Amino acid sequence: MKTAAIVSLAFALAASAAPTPAASGCVAKDNACRASDPVTGLSANQAQCSSENASCQGDCYDAYNECRSAPDANMSYCASQYAGCLGQNPFGSDGSLVIKPAVKARSEENCVAKDNACRASDPVTGLSANQAQCSSENAACKGSCDESYNACRTARPNGLSANMAQCASEYVGCLGENVFEKRSAPAGAFGGLAIHSGSDIQYASVNAAGSTFWLNKDSSVYCPKVDGLVCSNTTTTQFLGGDNTLSLDTTVPGGQQVYIAADGRLSFTVPHSAYTGKGSSSTGFSIAQEGQHLQYQGSDFLACPVDDAYAVFAAAAMKSSSEDCLGFAFRISETSAPAAWEYS
């Protein structure tokens, strides 16, 4: 009877712990995240907001379980702390838990937890784990998460109408880490590779040609015939930046800016001009996925077939596209090639 009374008291206190109209806890953090950036005016990265909210809820749930499993736990206190952490009452009128975390912070099923467990010494033999095998299994785990994530994003034509926030949240839960967290831009130049397993664009270079970007098409570089001017013989497309803005790695005075055209096309300016056209955007680029992927407004890119190549578009900026377009991740690749004079 005493235990039942304590549990009932916990439920009652949890109900009374419901937040006032001024949001707090995870709710307040999520609301703040989803608001447009007051500086740039750009929409928030909704996928990242969802993953951060899932992580916040998971942390609250873990703390709640730790609190109530302690010796002589004060159940009413634990319930009250849980409601405060979430910023909302997670208990129903009957005392049942009606709000459960989207992603547990320390799931035993995610890739990080599995890898950590694998790399620990064998508790039976005392021998060190097979680190190579652990690496192989971790790669397979991440690959499975990648496949599920891509399948989720492309569940509807072109992935444009998929629930990207839910896909991102499930991806974070599968991996056991928030890969959507913004990372520092590379210090030097970098190239781009398309990642879409099982397609003919897998590992295709992102190349500049004709003021736009392509897959399965060669870069177009130019060196003017000027006495005393020496240009490199590079034929690769290289980028600089990634922290809100992006440019091509060139030596032409003034450089060449990368931007998103009004139709969503990934484009670059001609030399000696900053003109990008009406409705375009040259901000909103970021580095995510443990510093591995370039994104625009928190989303990946699309490759749409044109003749024997694929034109590159920003998924977040496209209004409509052909069902033949393929979604892909823009994987950053290190490069030591010299800068081009200019791209044409």
Side-chain angles (χ1 to χ4, degrees), residues 6-318:
I6 293 175
V7 173
S8 297
L9 178 59
F11 293 148
L13 185 54
S16 67
T20 61
S24 60
C26 297
V27 170
K29 292 178 182 178
D30 191 48
N31 289 342
C33 180
R34 293 183 183 280
S36 296
D37 188 316
V39 177
T40 65
L42 298 176
S43 298
N45 182 336
Q46 302 299 325
Q48 181 177 345
C49 294
S50 292
S51 65
E52 290 177 354
N53 186 46
S55 179
C56 183
Q57 290 184 20
D59 289 341
C60 294
Y61 187 66
D62 282 348
Y64 172 57
N65 286 330
E66 183 177 351
C67 178
R68 61 180 181 161
S69 62
D72 300 322
N74 184 329
M75 300 300 290
S76 61
Y77 173 79
C78 296
S80 177
Q81 290 294 105
Y82 185 34
C85 183
L86 291 175
Q88 60 188 140
N89 181 15
F91 300 98
S93 58
D94 61 350
S96 62
L97 191 62
V98 295
I99 299 178
K100 298 180 180 180
V103 178
K104 291 185 179 180
R106 293 184 288 274
S107 170
E108 296 180 356
E109 298 301 319
N110 64 56
C111 296
V112 170
K114 289 179 181 178
D115 190 50
N116 290 339
C118 179
R119 293 183 183 280
S121 297
D122 189 316
V124 178
T125 65
L127 300 175
S128 298
N130 185 332
Q131 302 299 323
Q133 181 179 346
C134 294
S135 295
S136 176
E137 292 177 353
N138 187 45
C141 181
K142 289 183 176 180
S144 179
C145 294
D146 288 342
E147 291 180 2
S148 297
Y149 177 48
N150 288 331
C152 179
R153 294 188 300 166
T154 57
R156 300 175 186 177
N158 308 322
L160 295 177
S161 300
N163 187 335
M164 303 301 286
Q166 179 181 346
C167 296
S169 178
E170 293 175 353
Y171 187 40
V172 168
C174 182
L175 292 174
E177 58 184 334
N178 183 5
V179 294
F180 294 99
E181 182 181 355
K182 184 178 178 181
R183 303 289 176 173
S184 298
F190 60 90
L193 296 176
I195 302 298
H196 184 126
S197 59
S199 72
D200 60 354
I201 65 170
Q202 175 77 335
Y203 300 129
S205 297
V206 180
N207 290 333
S211 296
T212 54
F213 292 89
W214 301 82
L215 303 180
N216 294 344
K217 185 174 184 177
D218 292 338
S219 301
S220 178
V221 296
Y222 175 72
C223 179
K225 296 180 179 179
V226 178
D227 290 341
L229 178 63
V230 178
C231 300
S232 70
N233 60 356
T234 186
T235 57
T236 63
T237 295
Q238 299 175 166
F239 301 85
L240 292 171
D243 186 5
N244 197 36
T245 61
L246 189 69
S247 61
L248 286 167
D249 182 26
T250 61
T251 55
V252 64
Q256 291 181 275
Q257 186 77 29
V258 177
Y259 66 95
I260 304 299
D263 63 353
R265 188 80 177 267
L266 185 65
S267 310
F268 61 95
T269 58
V270 298
H272 316 296
S273 173
Y275 182 71
T276 59
K278 184 178 180 180
S280 65
S281 174
S282 57
T283 60
F285 295 98
S286 62
I287 305 297
Q289 299 262 5
E290 297 287 336
Q292 298 182 61
H293 291 171
L294 175 75
Q295 295 184 330
Y296 175 71
Q297 292 190 0
S299 296
D300 292 328
F301 295 86
L302 293 171
C304 300
V306 178
D307 296 329
D308 296 327
Y310 289 84
V312 177
F313 291 81
M318 285 198 71

